[in-house]
Amino acid sequence: MKYTYKRGFYWLFVYLLLALIPLIVAASGNTPEHRGFWMELGVALGFIGFGMLALQFLFSGRFRKVAPTYGMDNILQYHREIGILAFVFVLTHPVIIFIANSEFLAYLDPGVNLMRAVALYFVTIAIILITASSLWRLTFGLSYERWRLLHGFLSLAILFIGMIHALQVSHYLEPIWKKAATGATFLTYGYLIIHTRIVRPWLSRRKPYRVISGNPERGNCWTLKIEAVGHRRLDFICGQFVWLTIGATPFSLQQHPFSVSSSARDKTLSFTAKEMGDFTASWKDINPGTSVFLEGPFGSFVPEKGKNIFLVMGGIGITPGMGMLRTMRDTKDPRTVVLIYGNINWEEITFREELEEISKEINMKLVHLLEKPPEGWEGEKGLVSRDLLNKYLPDNPEDFMYFICGPKPLMDITEISLRELGIDWRLIYTERFKII
Ligand SMILES: Cc1cc2nc3c(=O)[nH]c(=O)nc-3n(C[C@H](O)[C@H](O)[C@H](O)COP(=O)(O)OP(=O)(O)OC[C@H]3O[C@@H](n4cnc5c(N)ncnc54)[C@H](O)[C@@H]3O)c2cc1C
């Protein structure tokens, strides 16, 4: 998938249009008498903030029409940053209104209206909690799964209470068609989370997979090979990833993203995981025959036809690259590949032997970069740097696509250095495994 300015502006326009729907509805038709700039600004921020919050379900919901364009990591990064902005709008909404007209402080008085006051306090606390737990999940000691559950629950609650609040206050939502349009907008977005968490897993039950084998790999990794049961396996482009659930049911909090590391030519699918926490640690105990459910494929981390490939990968970040290289080997792809593969030491290089073999079968330059090289090592050592990248950059850099995947420092340095070396940003693709 190509990045272009045109596509960027298109999505920005679509985003603004969708986010502004509640405000557009409120401001159309006959509107009540103007109550002064600050008052109207406060109200507008509420509508805009809630419109943006509602749209968040679209970004976190892995909808394939949205996700492939920019890559899941970028979409989730956007979701995170725009979420903070939306919460600022929503929290500023009452503050400006209270300053503009202190009579509205009565909304916070349980003695005036208990339910309304409780709902507003709840939303305020929920917004603070959702932001803090997303920014400092590990400080709160929250596992990813618990955080995800809390995040989903609080988001739905905020959306629901926000909708009831807008309909109850109703100042801008008369006549009834405005109420109906606002309610329908919020409910449509609310449904997206139900679709993601319930409908989609339910649908994936129809296309189960089962584990055929599990094998250890260098670097404390484990590969699972799976096959489709009673259907054709999903079609994917090398470099893409899926959401994977292992066990009897697809309704599990343990649903994790993994790049397909097998060749697109294989009938089976392989995934290789590095032990990070409870889910990845459990892989070595998974028996053949265990059920697996997949959702996907996703991702724009895919090479285009006709372009050569420059890979900068570190540790387990090799998995999407492995999918590309295995596919190239199996299809006798004549394109040029440069792989700079960073690891701590020689023993822990995942897929080391297979990479050596592939480098002889396709037109590939394999560069190992070791942080702690063995005695007598004559290859590259240390961390990735601008000078190192420059050394291996091809003479025709515009004929290549650049794929970066690995630990954050490797990714950040590579991305910045490639730009500094004059590589067009539209040719640089990243896949970040750790999003929050
Ligand atoms: C697009 C993509 C492709 C990936 N491909 C691979 C791969 O091929 N091989 C591999 O080893 N790892 C891959 N990962 C990372 C992998 O998903 C996490 O390492 C795994 O989910 C960790 O789970 P855990 O319970 O073992 O560890 P934990 O200690 O629970 O998690 C470690 C970190 O992984 C991330 N993570 C955990 N659970 C989830 C989740 N449900 N959804 C999203 N992120 C989560 C969080 O950033 C967390 O801090 C990929 C991640 C992404 C986003």
Side-chain angles (χ1 to χ4, degrees):
M1 184 70 63
K2 224 178 191 170
Y3 296 151
T4 59
Y5 284 113
K6 199 171 149 199
R7 188 172 280 134
F9 284 122
Y10 168 76
W11 281 107
L12 186 65
F13 175 75
V14 172
Y15 177 80
L16 287 177
L17 191 68
L18 292 177
L20 292 177
I21 285 178
L23 183 68
I24 294 169
V25 169
S28 16
N30 288 335
T31 48
E33 202 179 313
H34 194 258
R35 294 175 296 175
F37 172 77
W38 289 106
M39 189 67 199
E40 302 303 346
L41 176 71
V43 175
L45 284 178
F47 279 113
I48 298 171
F50 272 108
M52 288 165 73
L53 280 187
L55 253 185
Q56 290 290 73
F57 292 113
L58 189 63
F59 293 112
S60 59
R62 313 173 207 148
F63 290 92
R64 289 178 47 197
K65 284 258 181 292
V66 179
T69 315
Y70 289 105
M72 187 62 85
D73 57 347
N74 292 328
I75 299 270
L76 288 182
Q77 188 66 26
Y78 184 74
H79 168 83
R80 188 179 158 98
E81 276 156 24
I82 213 79
I84 295 172
L85 186 65
F87 284 139
V88 169
F89 282 1
V90 171
L91 288 178
T92 318
H93 154 70
V95 174
I96 295 186
I97 291 179
F98 295 153
I99 294 172
N101 184 346
S102 58
E103 280 176 20
F104 281 93
L105 281 168
Y107 275 49
L108 296 177
D109 187 348
V112 177
N113 184 331
L114 180 67
M115 282 311 288
R116 183 173 69 192
V118 169
L120 293 184
Y121 284 122
F122 174 84
V123 166
T124 311
I125 293 169
I127 287 177
I128 294 168
L129 206 62
I130 209 169
T131 312
S133 63
S134 302
L135 292 177
W136 302 292
R137 174 175 72 83
L138 294 177
T139 316
F140 284 105
L142 272 178
S143 71
Y144 192 90
E145 290 74 31
R146 291 221 169 120
W147 167 80
R148 205 167 150 229
L149 193 65
L150 180 76
H151 200 76
F153 168 74
L154 289 178
S155 314
L156 255 187
I158 292 170
L159 187 73
F160 183 70
I161 294 174
M163 178 186 78
I164 301 291
H165 170 70
L167 295 180
Q168 263 186 347
V169 173
S170 190
H171 188 72
Y172 279 94
L173 297 184
E174 300 289 353
I176 189 78
W177 73 264
K178 288 194 183 186
K179 281 201 177 76
T182 306
T185 307
F186 283 118
L187 290 178
T188 305
Y189 287 129
Y191 169 76
L192 297 183
I193 194 170
I194 293 167
H195 185 87
T196 307
R197 302 277 169 100
I198 297 173
V199 177
R200 232 184 275 147
W202 186 76
L203 290 175
S204 76
R205 272 182 346 149
R206 292 196 209 147
K207 294 193 171 174
Y209 290 77
R210 82 176 143 233
V211 174
I212 316 174
S213 63
N215 287 302
E217 306 279 359
R218 288 182 181 279
N220 201 17
C221 295
W222 195 267
T223 293
L224 283 184
K225 191 185 260 195
I226 65 170
E227 67 179 356
V229 181
H231 59 96
R232 245 189 75 205
R233 71 145 173 79
L234 57 79
D235 268 336
F236 72 97
I237 309 174
C238 54
Q240 287 191 303
F241 68 96
V242 300
W243 288 80
L244 201 133
T245 312
I246 299 177
T249 164
F251 296 100
S252 168
L253 278 180
Q254 293 279 11
Q255 195 193 27
H256 296 252
F258 283 90
S259 302
V260 185
S261 59
S262 46
S263 161
R265 277 289 172 100
D266 288 354
K267 276 199 174 142
T268 55
L269 296 170
S270 295
F271 303 94
T272 300
K274 185 165 184 79
E275 196 170 316
M276 297 295 291
D278 51 347
F279 183 70
T280 41
S282 72
W283 278 34
K284 53 182 171 312
D285 302 318
I286 294 169
N287 293 318
T290 305
S291 297
V292 176
F293 299 92
L294 302 185
E295 200 190 297
F298 295 103
S300 56
F301 199 72
V302 294
E304 250 173 56
K305 281 200 181 105
K307 283 272 187 201
N308 297 311
I309 298 167
F310 193 96
L311 304 169
V312 183
M313 315 208 125
I316 191 62
I318 189 67
T319 49
M322 209 57 204
M324 295 179 199
L325 297 174
R326 284 171 166 161
T327 306
M328 290 181 77
R329 175 196 60 199
D330 293 351
T331 54
K332 305 208 178 340
D333 195 320
R335 285 180 291 172
T336 305
V337 182
V338 178
L339 167 62
I340 298 179
Y341 188 17
N343 278 286
I344 308 267
N345 60 46
W346 182 242
E347 284 314 309
E348 289 187 28
I349 301 178
T350 313
F351 305 123
R352 193 180 83 195
E353 289 77 5
E354 192 178 344
L355 283 170
E356 288 298 336
E357 278 168 27
I358 293 179
S359 70
K360 290 177 199 141
E361 291 174 68
I362 64 173
N363 182 14
M364 168 172 164
K365 167 117 192 114
L366 171 61
V367 181
H368 284 296
L369 170 66
L370 296 180
E371 236 178 291
K372 295 180 184 162
E375 202 129 314
W377 172 254
E378 288 178 359
E380 299 294 348
K381 45 187 150 213
L383 300 173
V384 75
S385 65
R386 202 173 106 154
D387 288 345
L388 178 94
L389 293 166
N390 197 20
K391 184 170 164 187
Y392 293 101
L393 265 193
D395 295 335
N396 50 341
E398 67 289 349
D399 293 339
F400 280 70
M401 287 175 80
Y402 299 78
F403 296 94
I404 314 168
C405 186
K408 188 175 179 326
L410 173 138
M411 296 193 63
D412 292 345
I413 292 170
T414 307
E415 202 174 349
I416 293 168
S417 303
L418 287 176
R419 301 279 301 273
E420 285 173 357
L421 290 166
I423 306 299
D424 188 328
W425 66 272
R426 286 166 293 187
L427 296 173
I428 303 174
Y429 289 73
T430 58
E431 187 83 282
R432 288 180 192 270
F433 281 3
K434 210 165 170 185
I435 299 158
I436 163 168

